[in-house]
């Protein structure tokens, strides 16, 4: 009779640190509400948590950090909250870029940049240009980003290229498809963290998350600290990643 594998299989060595950590920064509104403050106060405190998180990623030698700052769906929030968020982004881009550049951070943006005001688009382009030579930490901010819209845009470009006879649909593979996503050239996330106790992906990196480890933390984003970052990395290190293969 064949033996039944133990439910708690002995684990191998801890995983090496994740190369790419992506974060769904959730809970700014609840943080503000709990304090009787306007939602923008939560977003401002969230921006300070972004700063702490970048420092933590640098300290842990994480090479890729992707932050979900504004989803395609966030445009549907009340107009004053959208203006507050875009004003905060405008301020952030002006105030933080020099320091990011000094710390070897390369900034990229993924999402529908064209939906933002022209001056924000220009600041994003400047920030990408000024930091383009950096390689210590690749910081990607997802802005007006939606995973399904990203996949549809890629499929449309590929279909158009096929209709022009430039590519053979039979030869399309995963790498070819991924090369048409906003994240072309980036590694897939190894670890996705979501704060605030919610346990969903909310249209974030749907293609790229195929084999990501997920960590959900019961902390509201403005309270996220270096200790929470370290806790998520420790949890990740204890996982066994098989990428669909059998346990060894
Ligand atoms: C989710 O909290 C957070 C957002 C929609 C915005 C995220 C923005 C920041 C962290 C600050 C700005 C960042 C940069 C890079 C400048 P929520 O408002 O959905 O919270 P709730 O679920 O408690 O209402």
């Amino acid at each position: 009779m064949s033996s039944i594998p133990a439910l708690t299989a002995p684990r191998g060595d801890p995983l090496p640190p994740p190369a790419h950590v992506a974060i769904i920064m959730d809970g700014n509104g609840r943080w503000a509400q709990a304090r009787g403050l306007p939602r923008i106060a939560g977003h401002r405190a969230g921006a300070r948590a972004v700063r702490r998180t970048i420092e933590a990623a640098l300290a842990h030698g994480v090479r890729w950090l992707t932050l979900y700052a504004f989803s395609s769906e966030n445009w549907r929030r009340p107009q004053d909250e959208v203006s507050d968020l875009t004003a905060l982004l405008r301020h952030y881009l002006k105030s933080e870029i020099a320091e990011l550049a000094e710390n070897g951070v390369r900034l990229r943006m993924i999402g529908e940049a064209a939906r933002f005001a022209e001056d924000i688009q220009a600041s994003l382009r400047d920030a990408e240009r000024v930091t383009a030579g950096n390689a210590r930490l690749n910081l990607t901010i997802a802005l007006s980003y939606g995973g399904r819209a990203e996949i549809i845009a890629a499929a449309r470009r590929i279909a158009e290229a096929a209709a022009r006879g430039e590519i053979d649909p039979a030869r399309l593979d995963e790498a070819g498809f991924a090369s048409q996503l906003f994240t072309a050239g980036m590694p897939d996330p190894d670890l996705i963290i979501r704060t605030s106790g919610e346990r969903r992906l909310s249209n974030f990196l749907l293609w790229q998350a195929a084999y990501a480890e997920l960590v959900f933390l019961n902390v509201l984003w403005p309270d996220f600290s270096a200790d929470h970052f370290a806790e998520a990395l420790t949890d990740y290190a204890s996982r066994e990643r098989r990428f669909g293969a059998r346990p060894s």
Side-chain angles (χ1 to χ4, degrees):
M1 201 171 89
S2 63
S3 65
I4 299 166
L7 282 176
T8 49
R11 304 229 176 234
D13 293 333
L15 287 175
H20 184 175
V21 177
I23 307 184
I24 302 172
M25 309 183 288
D26 195 14
N28 294 351
R30 276 163 282 170
W31 184 93
Q33 194 179 20
R35 287 161 180 76
L37 297 171
R39 293 178 64 85
I40 183 61
H43 296 315
R44 284 202 196 101
R48 293 193 287 277
V50 165
R51 208 184 151 92
R52 290 196 293 276
T53 304
I54 294 167
E55 285 164 10
L58 285 164
H60 284 274
V62 167
R63 302 299 300 273
W64 296 82
L65 177 68
T66 300
L67 303 175
Y68 202 6
F70 196 95
S71 74
S72 313
E73 291 71 34
N74 285 157
W75 292 110
R76 293 194 217 125
R77 291 195 176 194
Q79 187 51 47
D80 53 350
E81 186 177 354
V82 170
S83 341
D84 284 345
L85 271 168
T86 51
L88 182 60
L89 175 64
R90 184 178 277 116
H91 172 76
Y92 184 88
L93 288 170
K94 295 246 179 313
S95 63
E96 302 285 317
I97 294 311
E99 197 176 333
L100 291 177
E102 271 168 34
N103 280 297
V105 177
R106 176 173 185 173
L107 189 97
R108 289 183 181 80
M109 183 256 166
I110 55 171
E112 306 159 298
R115 291 189 72 177
F116 289 94
E118 182 48 50
D119 70 303
I120 293 185
Q121 293 183 45
S123 292
L124 286 165
R125 281 194 299 271
D126 279 355
E128 289 186 340
R129 184 179 46 76
V130 167
T131 63
N134 293 341
R136 191 170 158 216
L137 172 66
N138 291 279
L139 172 65
T140 303
I141 312 276
L143 289 168
S144 191
Y145 173 86
R148 286 186 173 180
E150 176 185 40
I151 290 169
I152 288 172
R156 188 178 298 124
R157 269 196 298 278
I158 290 164
E160 286 166 356
R164 290 192 300 269
E166 290 166 13
I167 59 163
D168 173 2
R171 297 177 71 94
L172 179 65
D173 58 9
E174 291 187 10
F177 193 86
S179 74
Q180 297 304 313
L181 298 171
F182 288 129
T183 50
M186 291 171 54
D188 286 343
D190 301 294
L191 166 63
I192 297 181
I193 302 169
R194 181 171 188 149
T195 59
S196 93
E198 309 286 349
R199 293 166 172 247
R200 346 173 242 284
L201 283 179
S202 297
N203 209 9
F204 186 45
L205 301 178
L206 295 182
W207 168 280
Q208 300 85 342
Y211 290 105
E213 295 293 327
L214 308 179
V215 169
F216 301 103
L217 296 175
N218 279 321
V219 59
L220 300 175
W221 176 252
D223 291 327
F224 188 81
S225 66
D227 286 347
H228 295 111
F229 192 83
E231 179 189 332
L233 260 51
T234 303
D235 188 341
Y236 170 87
S238 72
R239 308 278 178 98
E240 196 183 348
R241 300 188 80 193
R242 297 201 289 268
F243 298 95
R246 279 159 178 265
S248 47

